[in-house]
Amino acid sequence: MKQSLQLKLGQQLTMTPQLQQAIRLLQLSTLDLQQEIQEALESNPMLEVSESEDSGDDSSSSSDADLKLESSATETISESNKEEADWQENIPEDLPVDTHWDDIYQGSGSGNVGPERDDSYFDSQIDNTETLQEHLLWQLNLTPMSDRDRMIAMAIIDAVEPSGLLSTPIEDIYRGLARVVDGTPEEADDSEWEAPNEVDAATDEDDHDRLDIDEVFAVQHRLQLFDPIGACSESLSQCLMVQLNQFAKDTPCLDAAKMIVSEHLLQLGNRDYKQIMRRCRIKENELKQAILLIQQLTPHPGELIGSSETSYIVPDVFVSKKSGRWLVELNPDIAPKIRINSNYANLVKRADSSEDNTFLRDNLQEARWFLKSLQSRNETLLKVASCIVDKQQGFLDFGPEAMKPLVLHDIAEDVGMHESTISRVTTQKYMHTPQGIFELKYFFSSHVSTDNGGECSSTAIRAIIKKLVAAEDPQKPLSDSKITSLLSDQGIQVARRTIAKYRESLGIAASNERKRLV
């Protein structure tokens, strides 16, 4: 094969570094944006936080640098500096496409001066959630127990799942311990292995050293009384029974509750109350009291320990009604107000190629682009949020049942942007409304046709389903077919399988599982 050189012409879509930065900031959530700004403040000496308590000449110059008020990042520098135009002439407006900061500005990555910090202390303060096994081991260390029982207890705790139940049957745990204590070969078939009976134990010379399954059960019973009560149980029925045993013996309907938990837990889950009353030979009033007693129990005691941290939502946009009009405002507290440090900016000299001046020039240009990207993000977010509020005023006035169908294409046409940009803006961005706090994507939904030729949003249909289920008869809950019929009476034609899908998305159980005793 002969080698040759050829020239080809072609078109390719490329993005400048500042455009890539603007797109990346646009899709960041509030917490990620705060972290990004903090990293920029630490790495770029040209950026600083705008303090509200500044006064005199400093406050007048910093007000021009405020991100909320400036229309151009270059206005952040004091107007009294007459050489501003000189050093700005040598700073390019755009970088070549497909380049990185380090390719043009070698000093941009070295802005973080000083010794490196050890964040292990802060990580240890944040990651301090205690797991269930650690909580059980802590109680085990405080409990007087023989070494043999402690070994059994540690084996049982190792098999505890986060829910509090055992992931391995207690017999399997006993077999594993027996191999260690009694020296049973690991190659032995578990299906043929049996616990030694009393006759074999009596004839064994080392009877006192052999592990008995009753020892494992005894240690398990002790662990089940640890906090939380019922942990280390094999099944849900056993876990609930341990908790019921902690009630006083004179508790009303305690025996009935124990019988239901031990023998009729499946029927209780299926709401088959008639069968439970027939088998337990109890009346409806007694069944109600027994069910109320069972509802006080914890089916997954492990969830009480080591629960996940609560995450709080900080709204990006506030919506309020003033003088009969809906107003949209950005949350001023979602990110610190930053500006360019005028003192450092004034140190940039014209026609000076020294290393220090190049470092300042590079960081100044990077700071200007960062401020422009932040301003563009805020303007785009405010524009999209205002358009959503304009189209969903019915929701703001009357609630989810008045939600109108809306897709990304509708907003993209009104604001003159691409649908992908609208998708980035509405992801992980939240709006505070009189109806509550919602993600911007919540206001987008598909639609179904109505009998009068109109359209009904899927969000509105979910709200109607939720309202119908809340008002249903607990003894005769509405089935999916019945809900379909009720919606049809309102002019909304929806298939039964669609109703089932919407019901499951709302976390509403099926009709047979919603049945209650009045």
PDB file of all heavy atoms in Angstrom, residues 115 159 246 490:
ATOM      1  N   PRO A 115       0.605  25.887  51.787  1.00  0.00           N
ATOM      2  CA  PRO A 115       0.673  24.442  52.044  1.00  0.00           C
ATOM      3  C   PRO A 115      -0.674  23.783  51.852  1.00  0.00           C
ATOM      4  O   PRO A 115      -1.721  24.393  52.023  1.00  0.00           O
ATOM      5  CB  PRO A 115       1.121  24.375  53.517  1.00  0.00           C
ATOM      6  CG  PRO A 115       0.657  25.673  54.107  1.00  0.00           C
ATOM      7  CD  PRO A 115       0.766  26.689  53.009  1.00  0.00           C
ATOM      8  N   ALA A 159     -23.733 -11.421  60.461  1.00  0.00           N
ATOM      9  CA  ALA A 159     -24.748 -11.831  59.488  1.00  0.00           C
ATOM     10  C   ALA A 159     -25.969 -10.918  59.484  1.00  0.00           C
ATOM     11  O   ALA A 159     -26.939 -11.208  58.788  1.00  0.00           O
ATOM     12  CB  ALA A 159     -25.185 -13.267  59.768  1.00  0.00           C
ATOM     13  N   GLN A 246     -42.209  -7.692  74.836  1.00  0.00           N
ATOM     14  CA  GLN A 246     -41.792  -6.630  75.744  1.00  0.00           C
ATOM     15  C   GLN A 246     -42.979  -5.887  76.346  1.00  0.00           C
ATOM     16  O   GLN A 246     -42.800  -5.099  77.269  1.00  0.00           O
ATOM     17  CB  GLN A 246     -40.886  -5.637  74.993  1.00  0.00           C
ATOM     18  CG  GLN A 246     -39.685  -6.272  74.324  1.00  0.00           C
ATOM     19  CD  GLN A 246     -38.858  -7.109  75.276  1.00  0.00           C
ATOM     20  OE1 GLN A 246     -38.493  -6.649  76.366  1.00  0.00           O
ATOM     21  NE2 GLN A 246     -38.548  -8.336  74.880  1.00  0.00           N
ATOM     22  N   GLN A 490     -65.761  12.637  34.032  1.00  0.00           N
ATOM     23  CA  GLN A 490     -65.282  14.010  33.985  1.00  0.00           C
ATOM     24  C   GLN A 490     -64.766  14.399  32.599  1.00  0.00           C
ATOM     25  O   GLN A 490     -64.234  15.496  32.429  1.00  0.00           O
ATOM     26  CB  GLN A 490     -64.177  14.228  35.023  1.00  0.00           C
ATOM     27  CG  GLN A 490     -64.599  13.939  36.452  1.00  0.00           C
ATOM     28  CD  GLN A 490     -63.486  14.181  37.443  1.00  0.00           C
ATOM     29  OE1 GLN A 490     -62.527  14.894  37.163  1.00  0.00           O
ATOM     30  NE2 GLN A 490     -63.615  13.592  38.635  1.00  0.00           N
TER      31      GLN A 490
END
